[in-house]
Amino acid sequence: MADLSCNVAGIKAPNPFWVASAPPTDKLYNVERAFRAGWGGVVWKTLGIDPPIVNVSSRYGAVHYNGQRMMGFNNLELITDRPLEDNLREIKQIKQDWPDRAVVVSLMVPCTEKDWKYILKKIEDTGCDGVELNFGCPHGMSERGMGSAVGQVPEYIEMVTRWVKECSDLPCLVKLTPNITDICHAARAANAGGADGVSLINTVNSIVSVDLDLMAPEPTIDGKGSHGGYCGPAVKPMALFMVTEIAKDPETNNLPISAIGGISNWRDATEFIVMGAGGVQVCTAVMHYGFKIVDDMIDGLNNWMDEKGYQTLEDFKGAAVKNVKEWQYLNLKYDIKARIDQSTCINCGLCYISCEDASHQAIRETKANGGRHFEVIDDECVGCNLCMFACPVPGCISMERVDSGTEYQNWTTHPNNPMRVDQN
Amino acid sequence: MTTTDIRAGRLSQEQLAENFSDHHPPLNSANAIVESDRCYFCYDAPCIEACPTAIDIPNFIRKISTGNLKGSAKDILTQNIMGGMCARVCPTEILCEGVCVRNTHEEKPVRIGDLQRYATDWFFESGETLFKRGEPTGKRIAIVGGGPAGLSCAHRLAVLGHESVIFEAREKLSGLNEYGIAAYKTVNNFAQREVEFILQIGGIEARTNHVLGRDVKIDDLRNEFDAVFLSIGLGDVNDLGLKSDDPEGVYNAVDIIAELRQAKNLDELPVGRRIVVIGGGNTAIDISVQSKKLGAEDVSLVYRRGAQHMSATWKEQEFAKSNGVNIKYWLSPKSLHSENGHVSGVEFECTKLNSNGKLSGTGESRFMEADVVFKAIGQSMQDTIFSGSDIPEMTKGKIAVNSEFETSLAGVWSGGDCVGSGDDLTVQAVEDGKQAANSIHQKIMQQ
Ligand SMILES: Cc1cc2nc3c(=O)[nH]c(=O)nc-3n(C[C@H](O)[C@H](O)[C@H](O)COP(=O)(O)OP(=O)(O)OC[C@H]3O[C@@H](n4cnc5c(N)ncnc54)[C@H](O)[C@@H]3O)c2cc1C
Ligand SMILES: Cc1cc2nc3c(=O)[nH]c(=O)nc-3n(C[C@H](O)[C@H](O)[C@H](O)COP(=O)(O)O)c2cc1C
Ligand code: SF4
Ligand code: SF4
Ligand code: SF4
């Protein structure tokens, strides 16, 4: 049994699986159930200053893809709609009842030092393990100068982070919005402000669909709609990229990361950890299937670590970061070709047409013995992987390495590169 | 006048090998992923409730889809140590798959059994270990009968730190898994591989060729051990209740099935040309199909009630029909005809339910020619086992137990086919053994 305990920015938990700040962490009842199911920590649903906000009815939109429901999910909910004192009392209670689990409190208040000081004083009394500054919420709050309105301006991020660090000793995670051109600027600002770590991503600005009769974006509220925040499996690639960017950036590569975005199982989580995250947070998958999914997360990560001989998360944290290179340093001599396993091929022709119409005309159709037959023309195949992905039969097309494996040349020295550097 | 036609080698060895290969090939990894994605991960899933061993089905299926096969196998085997066998032999259509919510709109349940097989097959191939023997308690339990109930009990006891000795009448362990279940459901010696896996945990001693009532007495076991678990199955076969003695060519289906399972060369087994099977359960289906697969020309399975009354499920009946078995309903055997001491046919009376719902004969009769007749009308408890000892209370011909699987004899528990806990199924026997072990543990740790 491997040791799954984690320490993200000084916040300790028995495992790296935390429930993200959202409806599942909205109150004692849910968080209690989360802990009973085995979650290592929670980030409490974002608190604000009373009076509490109000939410609309019809709050979520979703993208279902190919029979998979909620591949993408969006919401136009705001921060907690419960009175501050109720939340504080329950946070205190849960921390008392579950001292070994991480209880982090997410905060969002107007952009004034006085308000931040006020709320920090209030929550220090709960015994919570840390705070997360919600600079990410893309709707409703940003119009009031909070959430992503702060997160999109690095100077504000730095300023607010500094206020928080000045008046509280609690470990402080800054939650970043992905609705920005370069995530590194936001992460550097948090770092400069003294943040103990960053968490990302919050939701992505989105309109998931349009009702063509009402002529309004969905979800529709009395015939109207608004943009929302997108999350779920669909955003995982963007989140992974942004986490990686921060882990690679010389200015922030030591900044602890709590990764969020489309994480549904142990494998997703592990991908974020090898890209530098110290732990992960999950929202949509819990909203879809309930807290019980953590069983596979814990068990799957543990079994994988046993299999690989890893004892602690530190043994592989960030292990893949060094292999993320800029394009110009990739080996141009590396060469792969598509291989069709004729014994599993169902002769649908999708490999042919994808390559024919969109790639390199590297698949040939022949009529042999009255049947159709598809084969790769090695000389034309550039190894792009398109046919492999288009093929409906898993494993039918694979890519085989055909170069010698000993040669290396990248773009920086390539003859076609007008700005090449001399090799010697 | 016909002459009896019984002979071996009706089919070529190749044909026999094909007929007795895995009748339901396993899922490959691509199909397993696709199938696992069909599971909705239901809340309070009905499939779990329908599984006698309460395997957390949505969880083990989710673990297949995330590639956590070890975790998947562990979820299965912790609840059901014979999860591998059950994946092959459970009538899932009346258990987990019968209640899968995907029946509602699609009539196409998630293939739970096949997925269970996928995960457990992976485990058996992987050489991984899952279970450790508990801290030794110094307690010893005697288990009589090394079938699914006995083995399941022994394994759970080992996990809990107890030692056990299994007294088994036959040469090999695993009961009807080895001597009963149809050959094409459990190919490649799976029953014995599973026994090996179960014994691996340690602390289980198997004494085969030990018959209770002949070689050991229940009183002695009660004196020598901290507890006794009786899991002797049903050793006797019900009789047709006809007046005449059976002529030659009339067999108990279970005996022939056992022979078939142990046969080295299927082409040496004698097979009749025309076969009549009397019964309506699993055993009747299995002997019919296996006879067909051995090359019998004409196999009739005759049942005295209607299709809906058979204990063989609709799927098993369909399976038999698709293998060329002729199922005849509403016929009750009246007499066996013979020529020169060998059976030549069976006379049946047509039956119907009368107005008060009781089965009665209509007076019409039917005659069927047969070279061989198989009796498959159920098994019952052997009564010789308790000779010279205290006899536990019985109910409906089986050993009476309470909800903790305790018999009326102090320190004696019982489970499996020899008690009336549920359907006579492998999975039920496994559950009985597990629950009895938990109960034994509770009791003897208090002493
Ligand atoms: C032909 C046939 C096909 C079947 N097919 C299926 C199927 O497809 N699916 C399914 O779920 N179930 C099937 N069953 C039912 C299933 O096999 C049983 O429910 C299950 O094996 C019961 O387990 P058990 O441990 O209670 O008894 P058994 O498997 O009968 O084991 C009892 C053991 O006790 C031993 N024993 C008996 N008397 C003594 C004694 N005096 N001393 C010592 N040892 C003794 C026996 O040798 C045997 O090993 C089938 C049964 C038969 C007969
Ligand atoms: C309904 C809903 C409400 C959310 N509310 C908050 C919030 O109050 N504070 C916050 O920091 N993030 C909030 N989030 C964002 C999530 O915490 C998380 O960052 C995002 O959903 C991405 O993770 P996922 O792909 O696992 O869902 C919310 C998300 C959803 C779906
Ligand atoms: S999930 Fe619950 S609150 Fe939401 S619409 Fe359905 S019943 Fe209402
Ligand atoms: S896409 Fe795949 S299955 Fe279809 S023809 Fe090509 S190789 Fe065969
Ligand atoms: S009932 Fe069917 S869909 Fe639901 S959890 Fe069970 S197997 Fe999955």
Side-chain angles (χ1 to χ4, degrees):
Chain A
M1 178 84 198
D3 174 8
L4 299 192
S5 65
C6 77
N7 180 341
V8 187
I11 305 166
K12 297 199 180 84
N15 66 55
F17 306 109
W18 301 0
V19 187
S21 175
T25 62
D26 186 34
K27 50 178 124 41
L28 184 70
Y29 177 81
N30 303 52
V31 174
E32 172 89 35
R33 287 171 60 84
F35 286 164
R36 241 183 285 134
W39 290 88
V42 296
V43 182
W44 200 273
K45 172 77 184 171
T46 306
L47 307 185
I49 286 173
D50 285 342
I53 56 87
V54 287
N55 276 309
V56 292
S57 186
S58 191
R59 304 175 181 184
Y60 307 144
V63 173
H64 313 304
Y65 199 74
N66 248 358
Q68 276 292 341
R69 299 192 67 84
M70 282 170 68
M71 281 305 292
F73 186 58
N74 100 336
N75 81 92
L76 7 128
E77 261 178 5
L78 308 181
I79 61 173
T80 183
D81 51 13
R82 306 166 66 229
L84 182 59
E85 289 306 328
D86 292 359
N87 280 305
L88 294 175
R89 195 178 53 249
E90 292 183 2
I91 293 167
K92 190 169 182 173
Q93 178 77 49
I94 200 80
K95 188 62 212 178
Q96 260 168 21
D97 296 347
W98 298 84
D100 72 319
R101 308 299 167 93
V103 177
V104 177
V105 178
S106 170
L107 301 173
M108 184 196 287
V109 297
C111 212
T112 71
E113 191 168 0
K114 176 179 92 352
D115 284 326
W116 282 99
K117 278 206 166 123
Y118 166 79
I119 196 136
L120 281 161
K121 273 276 143 328
K122 288 258 171 201
I123 66 152
E124 267 189 343
D125 187 43
T126 60
C128 70
D129 299 292
V131 293
E132 185 179 83
L133 315 186
N134 181 353
F135 294 161
C137 189
H139 48 258
M141 307 308 288
S142 46
E143 293 84 330
R144 307 173 204 183
M146 294 183 261
S148 62
V150 178
Q152 286 167 338
V153 184
E155 292 75 14
Y156 291 171
I157 297 179
E158 185 177 338
M159 175 180 75
V160 176
T161 309
R162 185 160 289 127
W163 292 339
V164 171
K165 284 311 292 178
E166 273 167 12
C167 73
S168 167
D169 292 333
L170 285 172
C172 167
L173 293 168
V174 173
K175 185 163 177 179
L176 305 179
T177 175
N179 302 314
I180 182 170
T181 39
D182 183 353
I183 198 74
C184 288
H185 291 289
R188 286 177 202 147
N191 196 31
D196 298 284
V198 286
S199 41
L200 70 160
I201 57 175
N202 209 313
T203 54
V204 184
N205 282 334
S206 62
I207 289 178
V208 285
S209 52
V210 178
D211 185 318
L212 291 179
D213 297 316
L214 293 176
M215 286 296 171
E218 294 177 309
T220 53
I221 295 109
D222 199 15
K224 308 280 184 245
S226 187
H227 77 279
Y230 201 45
C231 52
V235 308
K236 185 189 126 189
M238 280 88 95
L240 254 180
F241 166 72
M242 293 186 182
V243 164
T244 307
E245 285 289 287
I246 296 171
K248 268 178 28 188
D249 186 28
E251 229 178 280
T252 54
N253 60 10
N254 284 321
L255 190 61
I257 300 172
S258 177
I260 320 168
I263 296 166
S264 307
N265 57 52
W266 68 270
R267 201 177 270 275
D268 297 332
T270 307
E271 290 177 22
F272 278 97
I273 296 172
V274 300
M275 280 304 181
V280 301
Q281 300 182 30
V282 179
C283 169
T284 303
V286 166
M287 292 187 70
H288 194 169
Y289 296 112
F291 293 122
K292 188 175 159 186
I293 56 166
V294 78
D295 181 64
D296 167 56
M297 296 184 143
I298 294 173
D299 190 49
L301 176 59
N302 177 62
N303 288 338
W304 177 81
M305 285 172 68
D306 284 352
E307 188 191 317
K308 298 281 178 191
Y310 295 128
Q311 257 119 47
T312 71
L313 301 187
E314 289 302 318
D315 295 350
F316 59 93
K317 185 180 136 192
V321 177
K322 64 174 189 298
N323 291 324
V324 184
K325 292 282 184 229
E326 280 177 42
W327 184 88
Q328 59 191 354
Y329 298 113
L330 300 177
N331 186 5
L332 292 166
K333 294 285 185 195
Y334 178 75
D335 194 14
I336 57 175
K337 303 283 178 215
R339 294 285 174 256
I340 297 176
D341 175 2
Q342 298 294 347
S343 70
T344 56
C345 171
I346 56 174
N347 291 313
C348 68
L350 287 182
C351 54
Y352 174 85
I353 202 62
S354 62
C355 190
E356 190 69 10
D357 284 2
S359 195
H360 288 75
Q361 298 76 45
I363 293 177
R364 179 191 295 132
E365 181 189 13
T366 56
K367 306 254 184 208
N369 309 326
R372 294 150 22 108
H373 179 85
F374 297 93
E375 60 191 28
V376 177
I377 309 163
D378 268 14
D379 285 348
E380 301 298 331
C381 176
V382 299
C384 74
N385 298 337
L386 177 62
C387 57
M388 175 169 73
F389 295 136
C391 175
V393 182
C396 177
I397 299 185
S398 56
M399 306 302 296
E400 188 193 3
R401 183 168 189 177
V402 295
D403 67 307
S404 66
T406 54
E407 284 182 275
Y408 178 86
Q409 181 177 44
N410 66 41
W411 179 244
T412 59
T413 56
H414 197 277
N416 290 17
N417 181 357
M419 296 186 304
R420 70 179 168 275
V421 293
D422 251 339
Q423 241 166 329
N424 300 312
Chain B
M1 252 330 68
T2 52
T3 45
T4 309
D5 184 355
I6 302 178
R7 60 190 172 85
R10 287 184 182 273
L11 300 175
S12 69
Q13 277 185 354
E14 294 74 43
Q15 187 64 53
L16 286 168
E18 193 189 317
N19 287 358
F20 283 86
S21 65
D22 210 335
H23 79 301
H24 195 74
L27 291 171
N28 64 26
S29 61
N31 292 338
I33 297 289
V34 172
E35 192 59 26
S36 67
D37 281 340
R38 292 187 63 236
C39 172
Y40 292 139
F41 200 70
C42 296
Y43 163 70
D44 197 10
C47 53
I48 303 180
E49 201 177 325
C51 169
T53 56
I55 293 173
D56 190 339
I57 291 161
N59 224 30
F60 97 68
I61 293 180
R62 185 173 177 86
K63 290 178 184 183
I64 292 176
S65 76
T66 71
N68 177 13
L69 289 172
K70 185 174 179 184
S72 182
K74 187 169 184 183
D75 282 354
I76 297 163
L77 296 169
T78 305
Q79 284 299 104
N80 179 340
I81 196 65
M82 289 195 167
M85 182 59 81
C86 287
R88 291 163 165 77
V89 307
C90 272
T92 52
E93 64 277 14
I94 56 163
L95 300 170
C96 53
E97 291 179 21
V99 301
C100 173
V101 301
R102 293 205 76 149
N103 286 303
T104 313
H105 297 299
E106 303 163 282
E107 289 167 28
K108 203 166 168 264
V110 174
R111 289 162 66 184
I112 301 169
D114 292 342
L115 288 169
Q116 179 170 323
R117 174 159 177 197
Y118 180 73
T120 49
D121 276 359
W122 175 89
F123 170 76
F124 276 94
E125 291 303 317
S126 73
E128 297 260 7
T129 49
L130 280 178
F131 300 101
K132 269 221 291 288
R133 221 175 131 186
E135 279 300 307
T137 60
K139 305 277 185 190
R140 294 175 76 233
I141 291 93
I143 295 175
V144 187
L151 287 167
S152 161
C153 183
H155 191 269
R156 178 53 62 103
L157 288 170
V159 169
L160 294 167
H162 309 297
E163 270 180 47
S164 60
V165 179
I166 301 179
F167 298 90
E168 166 55 52
R170 300 249 202 183
E171 211 177 299
K172 295 187 202 168
L173 291 177
S174 103
L176 290 171
N177 285 358
E178 178 63 45
Y179 297 98
I181 302 283
Y184 42 80
K185 289 187 185 171
T186 163
V187 299
N188 297 333
N189 208 18
F190 185 76
Q192 292 310 310
R193 284 169 59 205
E194 190 162 61
V195 168
E196 213 173 283
F197 154 68
I198 291 173
L199 297 186
Q200 226 173 42
I201 191 170
I204 306 172
E205 183 193 335
R207 295 191 196 156
T208 48
N209 299 313
H210 275 66
V211 181
L212 179 71
R214 187 190 73 189
D215 308 311
V216 275
K217 293 258 174 301
I218 193 162
D219 290 353
D220 300 336
L221 296 179
R222 289 173 74 191
N223 287 333
E224 196 192 326
F225 291 86
D226 294 291
V228 177
F229 179 61
L230 296 175
S231 45
I232 45 181
L234 300 171
D236 260 0
V237 177
N238 292 340
D239 211 61
L240 294 176
L242 306 178
K243 278 169 207 88
S244 56
D245 281 343
D246 290 347
E248 255 182 75
V250 179
Y251 304 100
N252 291 325
V254 287
D255 296 341
I256 302 303
I257 288 174
E259 252 177 59
L260 194 150
R261 279 294 303 276
Q262 301 306 310
K264 295 249 154 25
N265 297 311
L266 292 175
D267 62 346
E268 287 170 9
L269 286 177
V271 187
R273 184 163 66 85
R274 296 155 310 170
I275 291 178
V276 170
V277 176
I278 301 171
N282 248 324
T283 310
I285 296 278
D286 286 0
I287 192 67
S288 301
V289 172
Q290 300 196 76
S291 298
K292 223 29 209 172
K293 284 179 181 279
L294 284 169
E297 191 178 293
D298 197 351
V299 178
S300 296
L301 193 173
V302 189
Y303 181 53
R304 61 193 173 128
R305 292 169 187 267
Q308 69 277 25
H309 305 110
M310 264 179 126
S311 69
T313 69
W314 59 266
K315 205 164 175 183
E316 285 163 332
Q317 296 182 46
E318 251 173 36
F319 176 67
K321 286 177 190 162
S322 72
N323 273 280
V325 174
N326 221 329
I327 306 190
K328 302 220 155 130
Y329 304 101
W330 302 111
L331 290 174
S332 172
K334 275 279 151 271
S335 61
L336 295 166
H337 290 220
S338 60
E339 275 167 39
N340 309 324
H342 196 284
V343 73
S344 60
V346 191
E347 194 173 317
F348 294 92
E349 184 182 9
C350 299
T351 57
K352 65 172 191 329
L353 292 182
N354 63 22
S355 50
N356 51 28
K358 278 193 84 154
L359 191 72
S360 61
T362 64
E364 267 178 276
S365 66
R366 297 277 184 279
F367 182 75
M368 273 178 227
E369 291 181 344
D371 302 304
V372 168
V373 172
F374 287 119
K375 299 185 287 185
I377 55 169
Q379 290 108 266
S380 54
M381 278 275 305
Q382 222 166 358
D383 41 24
T384 51
I385 49 171
F386 300 115
S387 50
S389 295
D390 286 343
I391 299 174
E393 226 171 82
M394 306 288 282
T395 170
K396 292 186 187 151
K398 293 186 164 192
I399 299 172
V401 289
N402 63 15
S403 61
E404 296 279 294
F405 293 92
E406 290 170 297
T407 69
S408 61
L409 301 179
V412 180
W413 279 256
S414 182
D417 281 0
C418 61
V419 309
S421 53
D423 290 332
D424 286 348
L425 294 174
T426 308
V427 64
Q428 186 63 51
V430 173
E431 177 67 3
D432 288 7
K434 176 179 97 186
Q435 295 300 352
N438 288 338
S439 166
I440 291 170
H441 174 71
Q442 289 288 324
K443 270 276 156 62
I444 61 179
M445 292 313 278
Q446 282 165 13
Q447 285 162 9

